[in-house]
Amino acid sequence: MIGRSERMCSAACLELMHAEMVSYFLSARETRESAQKEMERLGFRVGQKLAERYTKDYGRITEPMEVLRFIFSDFWPVVFSKPPDSLTTNNNSLYYIEDTDFRWTSKISVTSRTTLEDASYFLTFPCGIVKGAFAALDVDADVKADFQETPSRCLFTIIFKGKAIPTR
Amino acid sequence: MANFARSGEMAFLKADKINSEIFSLTYGAMVAQIMKDYEDIEEVNRQLDRMGQNIGSRLIDELFAKTGIPVSSNFMETAEVIAKVGFKMFLGITANVVNPTPQQYSLTFRDNPMVDFVELPDNCANLRYCNLLCGVIRGALEQVQIKVECHFVRDMLRGDETNEIQVRFLEQVRESALDQSFA
């Protein structure tokens, strides 16, 4: 498993820091769109660096399908603390990764004051991370995420651009 | 004191953990962005401290909940709890308490996962890269009614041989006064 020998710190630190980052961008930027764009860009850079580090002893992954498999089974469990639940597709360019207990958002409580829409800003940075990881492995993909009723159930949609995934 | 070290170890063992490089890269990306947003480096330091304060006020709840250490508002006692329990259970490292007095103490540590992969560019001599930590300590102590001033006096990123955070006691806040300020 990648990153196993690395040193660890508490997940609470990362969760709280991420929450501070989200509130920093939402208050420092004039529009929510620009806040989201920048958080995604930051996540992208982090994801790129992580994927580069994690694949350095891995041999070269070239096939988009291998990259997807790498992200699903190796990258995700390390970065998001647990393996995702399922990987599905509806056609050649749309793939779905479902995580029913997504640790980066699972502690958010949705109340009358915090809506699911507010909580969705917490998905922007993680989407950027995944997108950056694909980019580091030469796959141009767009990544979106939505909550499935609660902030702990997340569905990530991977849209491949450019290089199409060959059907097998 | 040995008990605190053990409580810290146990809490860290039981905690949900992540690779610290995810934390350090995320933090680094955030610091870089804040530096782009503010020309004044002192303002960057303030922003990091403020973010830390919010984090600290949440982390201390977790510390008490997970370790069962009794809540203490004695300033000098907080030093060991922060150094041996707080640093350990959240960052996986421990700090040493240096020169504790009823007015101030220092926390020194060399190992720091926050700075893995960090190289400061030349143009940010006054940046306190880890100022978030000062805010965390300040925010945490505020929750136990202790107001402190907290800053880095030595920083390995700037060539010092160790990291040293100085914590200076300002005042004990009466609970009733705190309640009023939240009212």
Side-chain angles (χ1 to χ4, degrees), chain A residues 2-4 6-14 16-21 23-25 28-29 38 41-42 45-46 49-50 53-54 78-81 103-104 107 125 129, chain B residues 12 15-23 25-27 29-30 32-34 36-38 47 50-52 54-55 58-59 62 89-93 111-113 116-117 132:
Chain A
I2 55 170
R4 194 173 42 186
E6 305 289 338
R7 67 157 138 184
M8 311 295 275
C9 71
S10 128
C13 292
L14 180 72
L16 291 173
M17 191 175 75
H18 177 232
E20 285 302 311
M21 179 201 280
S23 76
Y24 173 82
F25 278 108
R29 297 296 176 267
E38 291 202 28
R41 192 174 49 77
L42 244 55
R45 289 221 307 268
V46 171
K49 284 186 191 157
L50 286 171
R53 287 178 53 79
Y54 292 157
V78 174
V79 177
F80 301 126
S81 303
R103 296 291 161 81
W104 286 44
K107 292 204 184 72
F125 186 77
I129 290 183
Chain B
F12 186 61
D16 285 335
K17 288 182 280 293
I18 46 139
N19 275 13
S20 65
E21 65 196 334
I22 300 163
F23 176 71
L25 287 173
T26 301
Y27 183 64
M30 193 174 76
Q33 183 58 49
I34 297 173
K36 270 190 211 153
D37 290 352
Y38 293 93
Q47 287 290 336
R50 201 184 48 76
M51 288 177 158
N54 296 338
I55 295 173
R58 310 268 298 272
L59 284 183
E62 182 150 337
M89 79 180 274
F90 298 118
L91 291 177
I93 59 174
D111 193 23
N112 180 6
D116 290 347
F117 324 110
L132 188 93

Side-chain angles (χ1 to χ4, degrees), chain A residues 23-163:
Chain A
S23 76
Y24 173 82
F25 278 108
L26 288 180
S27 64
R29 297 296 176 267
E30 282 184 6
T31 64
R32 296 198 148 194
E33 287 70 32
S34 64
Q36 276 185 303
K37 216 168 152 184
E38 291 202 28
M39 278 193 279
E40 191 188 75
R41 192 174 49 77
L42 244 55
F44 185 92
R45 289 221 307 268
V46 171
Q48 229 175 353
K49 284 186 191 157
L50 286 171
E52 277 163 14
R53 287 178 53 79
Y54 292 157
T55 49
K56 106 180 154 241
D57 312 314
Y58 213 81
R60 207 164 144 59
I61 315 174
T62 46
E63 285 287 308
M65 207 57 187
E66 279 180 78
V67 173
L68 181 63
R69 213 172 286 138
F70 167 79
I71 302 265
F72 181 80
S73 355
D74 298 281
F75 185 80
W76 197 286
V78 174
V79 177
F80 301 126
S81 303
K82 69 171 265 297
D85 296 273
S86 66
L87 173 63
T88 48
T89 180
N90 73 337
N91 62 36
N92 285 348
S93 60
L94 235 52
Y95 288 78
Y96 303 101
I97 293 179
E98 191 184 24
D99 194 330
T100 58
D101 182 17
F102 189 60
R103 296 291 161 81
W104 286 44
T105 54
S106 60
K107 292 204 184 72
I108 300 173
S109 49
V110 174
T111 60
S112 51
R113 282 177 54 206
T114 321
T115 61
L116 215 50
E117 197 209 320
D118 296 328
S120 70
Y121 293 103
F122 283 74
L123 289 174
T124 314
F125 186 77
C127 277
I129 290 183
V130 179
K131 200 170 160 177
F134 274 111
L137 300 166
D138 291 330
V139 176
D140 188 8
D142 207 358
V143 181
K144 306 254 173 269
D146 297 290
F147 291 122
Q148 308 289 291
E149 288 161 30
T150 73
S152 59
R153 290 180 75 97
C154 299
L155 187 69
F156 286 76
T157 307
I158 324 281
I159 305 137
F160 286 96
K161 305 188 289 189
K163 263 194 255 179

Side-chain angles (χ1 to χ4, degrees), chain B residues 57-75:
Chain B
S57 66
R58 310 268 298 272
L59 284 183
I60 190 140
D61 289 339
E62 182 150 337
L63 185 149
F64 288 133
K66 298 272 165 71
T67 61
I69 290 175
V71 179
S72 165
S73 295
N74 178 313
F75 173 71

Side-chain angles (χ1 to χ4, degrees), chain B residues 124-175:
Chain B
C124 54
N126 292 320
L127 174 70
R128 304 280 176 207
Y129 185 82
C130 294
N131 223 27
L132 188 93
L133 283 178
C134 292
V136 169
I137 295 172
R138 208 160 53 75
L141 290 179
E142 232 162 56
Q143 293 296 305
V144 292
Q145 283 83 51
I146 299 172
K147 270 203 144 172
V148 296
E149 209 174 67
C150 197
H151 55 102
F152 268 91
V153 289
R154 284 193 285 171
D155 185 344
M156 287 167 77
L157 281 180
R158 297 144 59 86
D160 295 324
E161 62 169 24
T162 187
N163 298 306
E164 178 175 349
I165 297 178
Q166 200 173 69
V167 186
R168 206 159 66 81
F169 179 79
L170 290 181
E171 60 172 330
Q172 196 95 33
V173 187
R174 284 209 203 96
E175 210 144 340

Side-chain angles (χ1 to χ4, degrees), chain B residues 66-138:
Chain B
K66 298 272 165 71
T67 61
I69 290 175
V71 179
S72 165
S73 295
N74 178 313
F75 173 71
M76 271 179 89
E77 275 173 28
T78 61
E80 288 291 330
V81 177
I82 293 170
K84 302 294 186 260
V85 187
F87 269 70
K88 184 68 192 183
M89 79 180 274
F90 298 118
L91 291 177
I93 59 174
T94 51
N96 290 312
V97 180
V98 182
N99 304 327
T101 72
Q103 278 74 47
Q104 74 173 46
Y105 55 75
S106 275
L107 302 166
T108 62
F109 54 101
R110 291 179 57 83
D111 193 23
N112 180 6
M114 281 172 90
V115 302
D116 290 347
F117 324 110
V118 175
E119 274 173 45
L120 292 186
D122 297 333
N123 63 353
C124 54
N126 292 320
L127 174 70
R128 304 280 176 207
Y129 185 82
C130 294
N131 223 27
L132 188 93
L133 283 178
C134 292
V136 169
I137 295 172
R138 208 160 53 75

